[in-house]
Amino acid sequence: MRVLMFGWEFPPHNSGGLGVACRGLTRALSNLEDMEITFVLPRRIPLLDNYMKIAFAELPGAQVKFREVDSLLTPYITSSIYADSLKYAGNGIYGADLIAEVVRYGEAARKIAEEETFDIIHAHDWLSFLAGINAKQVSGKPLVVHIHATEYDRTGGNNGHPGVIKIEKEGLEFADKVCTVSGYTKSIVMQEYGIADDKIEVVHNGIDESDISQAENALQTFSEISDGLNVLKDNGTKLVLFLGRFTVQKGADIFIQAAQRVLQYRPNTLFLMVGSGELEPQLINQAVKLGIGDKVVFTGFLRGKNRERIYSAADLFVMPSVSEPFGLVALESLLHETPIIISKQSGVGEVLEGAIKVDFWDVDQMVNMMVSVLEHSSLRNTLSQNGKQEALRSTWDRAAYRCKQIYKQLVAEQNLAYN
Amino acid sequence: MASVCLYFHVHQPYRIRDYRIFDVGRPDYFQSEAGSRLSNPDILNKVADKCYVPANRLMLELLNTYPEFRVSYSITGVILDQLLEHRPDVIELFRQLVDTGRVELLSETYYHSLAALYSAKEFKEQVDMHRRKLKDLFNYEPRTFRNTEFIYNNDLAKQVHKLGYDVILTEGADHVLGWRSPNFVYAPPGQPNTKLLLKNYRLSDDIAFRFSSRDWADFPLTADKFGTWVSAINGSGDLVNLFMDYETLGEHQWEDTGIFDFMRQMPAEILKHPDNNFVTPAEAAERFSPTAELDVPDYISWADIERDLSAWRSNEMQHDALNKIYKLEKKVLKTDDAALIEDWRRLQTSDHFYYMCTKWFNDGDVHKYFNPYNSPYEAFVAYMNVLRDFEIRLKASTK
């Protein structure tokens, strides 16, 4: 089985979950028998050649082959510009350049489709949908589109960019099969995009424990963050973590609102805001206005070891997303044995019983649960033990196996149609 | 000879409402809004209409039709209280059943609690309370004992003997019986005068769990077929103990599954065989001598596939909640505050801890089915918030 796969970003040049998911899925797919992937990225990222070597080194025996679209005509787009464009997603404003780049990526995909030999096409999110559509037109091979997030999620259902929605619709309609990262996202694709139930397969994202370095070791090494946090923890301070983009979609403002009320019951609590985003000034303002400016710490965006230290140090992780197609950070937290409270509007909840789930708008219940988790170590331990087991079972292998089944079915159907 | 001992357990707890941290200061722990999933009167009415009323009428009908028919019940104190308040018609039907003289009522803890595991004194008190309740309501003196959820071991047999009971019902757990059959009477080690009646879980669960299961090879279960299975015991056993929740009839197995028709036809099918008959536990104990000693060093129960205590005591939340509530015993009793003591005891009902269970992967579905809370965590949080309020009240009441 040869798969021509279109992505947009790839670690470490990624700004969000899309790149992480593409790596996780392709790595697991390439471990399956009879599976050969050509992964296409829109352009040659600086260091990409180096990175690719690194990537291959990480993937012993892997059969993933990277291709870049040679797009000299396109404006130079870095992942940070992509991040910027996402930043404005809340207002429904994209740089014209991004759409233009998506169109050019799509055009370039025709040529790749002519040159490559493959049995199936797999395109991730709207950014690569035109590429997928064109590749299908050129080759006549079945197309799978994979939904990691919709414009509906990014904008909370308001003022989505019409150009983006148009591309999403085209991809969804033109595809032979649609994968969504959760049942929650599937229902959005059905309701907001009018796609039929039986055309959509849920393929839950996964996580690989090997991506998380040993948390205990990380904490033992010297670091300002862990040292400072450990001093606080020794004094009995409990740490509550928010980790994600500071946007309305992620419920960052809900987190601050809840923090103020939790502090009324548990004054010795510190709230950590890890990330960055358009709401940051507003959030700082909100905390100050609520009189809890000294109880909310903005750390900025954290990567690597620092990110892991903060996961490990936290007593509770809260993900109050308004709309979350999946929410990989919840699984990351559980692998660090930190219990989680997540919104019911999160896809990851579908693979977790070891989590407290609350409607994002039910701040009362969120506060009630947060206080209890901080209060009772028995609740924390039960949550983190159950949750970790489930996170360990939520592997990319499971997702890859599911994708392979979908590929096989589509190829078989096509063969049947020709015969 | 195959004597059939048909016994039903009748119980509904006082479920704790969605009690949040902001509610501390309000001692209305068990009063959920009408219409909510946790509303005790709503649940009681539903179960009374679907099960208790039609099932009691059916049993009366069977007792009238067949002079040989017998049926037995354990009815917890907490459901008797709820029925007295909301459904006296059900109490009246139970009175009629008891008045036939062919219905045995069993003794147990008033609050369907795990007191036996934590406090011998509290255990005895709750058993005595239940005994007094049966005397008051039905003018009835129980002779047979069943502990909460059939929780049992050798030590419990001794404790129960001291309370004056020499017939005990428990689970016919495989890991205790080994190659032996549940279809005989056994005795605890060193207690030759105590009779143990063990649930035949295969035949009991054929009715209680598998009756409407289309995946089951023996579906559909007819009274005729079941009668044949019971008669097959003849020669290899004395006694078939069919022990189950009363709610099996009409609530777990809905009326449209045909469960009532099955029960209506079952006595005739059993009595077709001339050597078969029906007994109550006390009658079985009189009729049959123990065939052997049964050594049960570790606790068994009738819950889940493990048949142990894990339904109530397997995760940290459950241990935490149980330890906290029983730790308050002395202080609570010292207050002489009737309302406080009553709340403390209602908080001991085993269901609260069952709702906190997180053993997902085998019996998880059963736990989910019987869990009125969205999750075990929500059950725990409501419980601990209530305890927070309770301890404030306790402090205020402490002399």
Side-chain angles (χ1 to χ4, degrees):
Chain A
M1 180 80 62
R2 289 154 303 184
V3 187
L4 182 64
M5 195 178 278
F6 292 98
W8 184 261
E9 55 168 31
F10 209 82
H13 291 280
N14 63 308
S15 64
L18 180 60
V20 175
C22 283
R23 180 172 63 181
L25 183 64
T26 51
R27 189 166 55 185
L29 267 173
S30 63
N31 285 334
L32 293 177
E33 229 172 86
D34 181 31
M35 188 61 67
E36 196 181 308
I37 303 158
T38 301
F39 195 87
V40 187
L41 284 165
R43 61 191 173 75
R44 185 178 295 270
I45 305 168
L47 302 179
L48 184 62
D49 286 334
N50 283 341
Y51 167 71
M52 276 170 57
K53 279 176 197 155
I54 293 163
F56 276 108
E58 272 184 0
L59 307 166
Q63 297 145 305
V64 179
K65 188 163 79 175
F66 283 90
R67 286 223 32 177
E68 310 89 45
V69 176
D70 182 17
S71 53
L72 291 174
L73 293 173
T74 62
Y76 187 71
I77 294 202
T78 66
S79 53
S80 73
I81 291 177
Y82 171 51
D84 281 348
S85 57
L86 275 178
K87 203 160 114 177
Y88 295 114
N91 307 325
I93 303 163
Y94 282 98
D97 288 350
L98 186 66
I99 297 258
E101 173 68 3
V102 166
V103 172
R104 287 186 192 105
Y105 183 24
E107 290 307 315
R110 285 181 197 277
K111 194 154 177 274
I112 291 169
E114 278 164 7
E115 289 168 2
E116 293 284 329
T117 321
F118 54 92
D119 307 299
I120 196 141
I121 309 157
H122 193 151
H124 294 276
D125 268 2
W126 73 278
L127 297 151
S128 70
F129 280 5
L130 294 182
I133 290 170
N134 289 341
K136 180 180 171 177
Q137 278 175 338
V138 167
S139 64
K141 299 294 182 187
L143 169 66
V144 178
V145 300
H146 205 118
I147 300 286
H148 298 261
T150 63
E151 185 70 353
Y152 181 86
D153 299 299
R154 289 184 289 264
T155 61
N158 303 314
N159 300 321
H161 189 290
V164 174
I165 293 171
K166 186 166 169 279
I167 294 172
E168 284 180 332
K169 277 203 165 150
E170 270 176 34
L172 289 165
E173 281 162 13
F174 204 75
D176 298 280
K177 207 72 179 175
V178 176
C179 297
T180 59
V181 294
S182 62
Y184 172 72
T185 298
K186 175 174 175 169
S187 67
I188 290 175
V189 169
M190 285 169 65
Q191 280 157 30
E192 303 301 324
Y193 296 84
I195 302 301
D197 187 350
D198 59 2
K199 190 175 170 177
I200 312 170
E201 298 282 342
V202 174
V203 180
H204 286 115
N205 280 344
I207 192 163
D208 289 327
E209 205 193 4
S210 55
D211 287 342
I212 309 285
S213 63
Q214 283 310 303
E216 276 88 340
N217 295 341
L219 261 184
Q220 278 161 10
T221 57
F222 173 81
S223 120
E224 274 179 33
I225 287 179
S226 54
D227 271 19
L229 294 180
N230 282 337
V231 170
L232 285 169
K233 281 176 77 90
D234 289 346
N235 290 334
T237 305
K238 291 277 186 287
L239 304 176
V240 184
L241 176 64
F242 174 97
L243 193 151
R245 288 196 313 277
F246 296 162
T247 60
V248 175
Q249 185 205 337
K250 298 285 180 188
D253 54 326
I254 300 172
F255 182 80
I256 306 259
Q257 230 178 300
Q260 188 239 353
R261 296 182 55 196
V262 169
L263 283 163
Q264 292 167 6
Y265 292 92
R266 303 219 23 127
N268 197 7
T269 308
L270 196 65
F271 295 83
L272 304 169
M273 299 283 297
V274 177
S276 57
E278 64 188 17
L279 283 188
E280 183 153 355
Q282 192 182 317
L283 293 171
I284 293 171
N285 222 346
Q286 187 188 359
V288 172
K289 268 192 185 158
L290 291 171
I292 56 169
D294 58 332
K295 296 289 190 181
V296 184
V297 177
F298 292 80
T299 67
F301 188 82
L302 296 181
R303 277 186 191 275
K305 281 250 186 278
N306 279 333
R307 185 176 165 115
E308 311 214 345
R309 282 180 193 121
I310 215 136
Y311 271 129
S312 298
D315 298 284
L316 168 64
F317 176 85
V318 182
M319 188 177 81
S321 297
V322 173
S323 187
E324 188 71 68
F326 192 75
L328 211 52
V329 284
L331 295 184
E332 286 178 12
S333 175
L334 288 174
L335 285 185
H336 290 89
E337 294 171 15
T338 298
I340 62 171
I341 296 177
I342 59 177
S343 75
K344 287 184 184 170
Q345 290 69 31
S346 303
V348 69
E350 294 161 23
V351 298
L352 290 176
E353 301 276 14
I356 289 178
K357 299 168 199 173
V358 182
D359 283 306
F360 75 86
W361 43 261
D362 192 352
V363 181
D364 255 14
Q365 179 68 321
M366 204 174 295
V367 171
N368 180 41
M369 291 296 164
M370 287 167 77
V371 171
S372 274
V373 172
L374 297 175
E375 195 98 336
H376 305 292
S377 63
S378 62
L379 177 56
R380 285 202 297 281
N381 294 341
T382 309
L383 275 168
S384 72
Q385 281 158 18
N386 290 340
K388 185 176 182 183
Q389 281 182 22
E390 288 173 308
L392 287 172
R393 275 195 296 274
S394 301
T395 58
W396 280 114
D397 287 343
R398 210 164 63 168
Y401 181 76
R402 192 80 202 88
C403 282
K404 190 179 175 182
Q405 283 180 318
I406 292 165
Y407 298 158
K408 274 168 120 173
Q409 195 199 342
L410 287 175
V411 170
E413 278 170 17
Q414 195 180 44
N415 290 343
L416 213 64
Y418 282 147
N419 292 338
Chain B
M1 181 187 289
S3 294
V4 173
C5 181
L6 184 62
Y7 150 86
F8 295 108
H9 173 54
V10 190
H11 169 64
Q12 293 294 330
Y14 282 102
R15 293 164 196 82
I16 293 171
R17 73 177 174 90
D18 177 13
Y19 195 93
R20 300 189 177 182
I21 189 77
F22 327 106
D23 295 323
V24 171
R26 294 172 48 181
D28 56 347
Y29 310 150
F30 310 103
Q31 290 161 33
S32 296
E33 263 174 63
S36 101
R37 290 210 303 171
L38 292 164
S39 165
N40 293 312
D42 284 7
I43 295 168
L44 188 77
N45 276 315
K46 192 187 84 179
V47 182
D49 292 339
K50 285 171 80 174
C51 167
Y52 303 150
V53 170
N56 280 3
R57 292 215 171 104
L58 174 61
M59 294 304 150
L60 279 168
E61 178 193 321
L62 293 173
L63 286 159
N64 285 331
T65 313
Y66 306 99
E68 308 90 333
F69 188 67
R70 302 284 187 280
V71 61
S72 306
Y73 297 97
S74 63
I75 315 173
T76 65
V78 282
I79 194 175
L80 287 172
D81 284 338
Q82 293 185 75
L83 289 170
L84 282 168
E85 189 180 349
H86 301 285
R87 294 301 296 252
D89 57 318
V90 175
I91 298 278
E92 183 47 39
L93 286 168
F94 275 122
R95 277 205 185 104
Q96 292 176 27
L97 283 165
V98 175
D99 287 347
T100 64
R102 288 181 283 142
V103 171
E104 185 181 342
L105 297 184
L106 276 64
S107 166
E108 69 163 318
T109 61
Y110 194 100
Y111 294 90
H112 196 60
S113 72
L114 305 176
L117 307 177
Y118 289 88
S119 163
K121 191 169 155 256
E122 176 64 14
F123 175 59
K124 179 182 187 311
E125 177 56 25
Q126 290 188 17
V127 173
D128 289 345
M129 281 178 78
H130 185 251
R131 190 180 180 85
R132 290 196 293 271
K133 191 80 178 183
L134 295 185
K135 181 78 185 157
D136 284 355
L137 278 181
F138 305 108
N139 193 26
Y140 191 92
E141 301 264 1
R143 299 164 57 198
T144 303
F145 185 81
R146 69 89 77 183
N147 193 25
T148 303
E149 302 292 308
F150 282 180
I151 291 171
Y152 174 85
N153 69 1
N154 294 339
D155 290 338
L156 190 100
K158 286 184 202 130
Q159 244 179 304
V160 170
H161 172 74
K162 278 188 210 152
L163 298 180
Y165 299 96
D166 278 314
V167 188
I168 305 174
L169 268 52
T170 187
E171 176 68 28
D174 283 337
H175 68 275
V176 168
L177 277 171
W179 56 269
R180 287 170 297 188
S181 158
N183 305 326
F184 292 96
V185 170
Y186 291 84
Q191 281 179 248
N193 296 323
T194 297
K195 312 272 174 74
L196 289 178
L197 272 52
L198 307 177
K199 177 180 142 188
N200 182 318
Y201 74 81
R202 286 190 183 84
L203 288 170
S204 300
D205 292 352
D206 285 342
I207 301 174
F209 294 132
R210 288 181 283 275
F211 183 77
S212 60
S213 166
R214 285 169 190 278
D215 304 333
W216 181 34
D218 284 302
F219 179 88
L221 181 59
T222 59
D224 168 40
K225 199 188 287 180
F226 195 77
T228 314
W229 292 346
V230 168
S231 298
I233 307 280
N234 271 290
S236 62
D238 298 327
L239 183 63
V240 179
N241 292 316
L242 301 177
F243 299 167
M244 64 197 79
D245 284 335
Y246 206 24
E247 293 80 7
T248 300
L249 309 180
E251 166 64 14
H252 304 164
Q253 307 291 345
W254 290 8
E255 190 188 356
D256 61 14
T257 64
I259 189 75
F260 288 106
D261 295 332
F262 170 83
M263 285 304 298
R264 185 171 284 114
Q265 292 154 12
M266 198 249 276
E269 293 298 334
I270 300 231
L271 294 169
K272 259 185 192 169
H273 196 294
D275 288 338
N276 290 349
N277 53 48
F278 284 91
V279 289
T280 70
E283 286 173 342
E286 275 168 22
R287 192 170 299 173
F288 305 110
S289 302
T291 181
E293 279 192 352
L294 189 68
D295 186 22
V296 187
D298 300 319
Y299 281 111
I300 58 170
S301 80
W302 77 354
D304 302 347
I305 48 167
E306 292 90 348
R307 303 287 202 284
D308 60 11
L309 299 182
S310 57
W312 311 276
R313 284 208 314 201
S314 52
N315 67 41
E316 267 193 57
M317 299 190 297
Q318 294 170 307
H319 283 280
D320 191 10
L322 276 161
N323 289 337
K324 288 212 164 88
I325 193 74
Y326 282 104
K327 226 176 146 181
L328 300 174
E329 177 177 353
K330 272 188 190 151
K331 274 190 186 168
V332 171
L333 295 177
K334 248 174 90 181
T335 63
D336 277 332
D337 180 333
L340 199 73
I341 293 170
E342 173 67 13
D343 281 346
W344 177 64
R345 291 194 162 132
R346 285 185 186 181
L347 290 171
Q348 291 179 40
T349 299
S350 60
D351 303 64
H352 302 310
F353 313 102
Y354 186 87
Y355 300 147
M356 299 174 194
C357 185
T358 55
K359 291 185 301 173
W360 301 108
F361 302 113
N362 294 311
D363 285 319
D365 290 343
V366 179
H367 279 264
K368 266 187 177 170
Y369 180 82
F370 291 114
N371 197 343
Y373 297 89
N374 293 318
S375 75
Y377 311 108
E378 288 182 28
F380 173 81
V381 168
Y383 191 89
M384 297 310 269
N385 285 337
V386 161
L387 265 193
R388 191 173 175 136
D389 182 80
F390 185 85
E391 288 186 67
I392 294 169
R393 283 169 64 204
L394 176 59
K395 225 174 194 175
S397 267
T398 301
K399 290 165 191 168

